[in-house]
Amino acid sequence: LLASSAASDVYKRQMEENQRIFLVAQRDMDVDDPAVDDIYHVGTIACVKQVLRLPGGNVRLLVEGKSRAVLRAVTQEEPYFVGALDEVLEQGTPVSIETDALLRTAHHYFEEYCKMSGRISGETMQSVLEIEDPGQLADIIAANVLSKIEDRQQVLEEFDELARLESVCALLVRETELAGVEKKVQARVRKPVSYTHLRAHETLRHL
């Protein structure tokens, strides 16, 4: 979502040129006008696929991520950032027993998370379980499971595909445990509420 006029200028320029844009996360979303130190320097080179104009002059972009990149230098700050990037290209992971084992582990942990949390549709779960590329699998799981910017950034900044998938597996274990605790807490909270509601209903019926 592009809310500022400067951001709108960026998308207009990129649509006129090559439709490519460099996307980075903001460290603190409460900062309305972020400076260079307010943004992460590892981000995603993306292609703009669709532009939606919203009320109030805002613009929403539909983008497709192409590759990771590191912001090495900022050459312009006004009216928007322009910088020099080092693009990080995926090297691919050789087929090995270790890779197969890690893929199976990641698939297993993701399936366990889906069952415990109930937040992922069956169709999405099945499509993720069919992915056999370690880097792609790590990125897709992170996009579907992780909500904290810090966690997503951690995955984004890991360029080695196997190390990235291992990191995602550890985060999956944590998120699955958290989902289980949330279920228990919600169950405890619902019981007293249901009992109170029943007693109140009985009292009203007697009245």
Side-chain angles (χ1 to χ4, degrees), residues 108-128:
H108 171 71
Y109 284 160
F110 180 70
E111 190 170 9
E112 288 297 306
Y113 170 80
C114 293
K115 292 177 181 177
M116 180 61 69
S117 68
R119 295 169 185 160
I120 308 293
S121 69
E123 182 180 354
T124 298
M125 182 184 75
Q126 190 56 44
S127 66
V128 172

Side-chain angles (χ1 to χ4, degrees), residues 5-179:
S5 58
S8 297
D9 289 340
V10 173
Y11 98 82
K12 289 176 182 177
R13 176 181 172 185
Q14 294 309 108
M15 290 300 288
E16 291 172 356
E17 295 181 0
N18 56 14
Q19 297 184 325
R20 283 159 63 90
I21 193 170
F22 181 55
L23 303 174
V24 293
Q26 190 171 320
R27 295 179 185 275
D28 184 355
M29 296 306 295
D30 292 330
V31 177
D32 293 329
D33 189 15
V36 176
D37 292 338
D38 296 318
I39 61 174
Y40 290 100
H41 287 198
V42 177
T44 305
I45 295 176
C47 180
V48 179
K49 308 298 289 186
Q50 186 178 8
V51 179
L52 300 175
R53 299 179 184 276
L54 304 177
N58 293 339
V59 175
R60 185 177 296 275
L61 300 182
L62 177 63
V63 301
E64 179 183 8
K66 293 297 184 181
S67 62
R68 287 167 164 78
V70 180
L71 177 62
R72 290 305 183 192
V74 174
T75 57
Q76 172 186 309
E77 294 189 34
E78 297 294 341
Y80 47 78
F81 291 132
V82 175
L85 308 177
D86 285 343
E87 186 172 6
V88 180
L89 300 178
E90 299 285 354
Q91 299 300 315
T93 303
V95 177
S96 67
I97 294 178
E98 180 184 0
T99 301
D100 289 343
L102 186 55
L103 284 168
R104 287 188 183 185
T105 300
H107 287 151
H108 171 71
Y109 284 160
F110 180 70
E111 190 170 9
E112 288 297 306
Y113 170 80
C114 293
K115 292 177 181 177
M116 180 61 69
S117 68
R119 295 169 185 160
I120 308 293
S121 69
E123 182 180 354
T124 298
M125 182 184 75
Q126 190 56 44
S127 66
V128 172
L129 294 179
E130 293 174 358
I131 298 174
E132 295 294 334
D133 178 85
Q136 182 186 10
L137 180 60
D139 291 342
I140 293 296
I141 290 177
N144 280 279
V145 174
L146 304 179
S147 57
K148 293 182 179 178
I149 291 179
E150 295 83 0
D151 290 337
R152 291 189 171 200
Q153 190 67 31
Q154 175 187 329
V155 175
L156 186 66
E157 293 183 3
E158 181 53 73
F159 300 148
D160 182 272
E161 295 181 23
L162 292 182
R164 189 190 315 159
L165 190 55
E166 284 187 14
S167 177
V168 167
C169 284
L171 291 169
L172 269 174
V173 171
R174 184 198 69 188
E175 290 298 316
T176 302
E177 291 176 352
L178 182 59

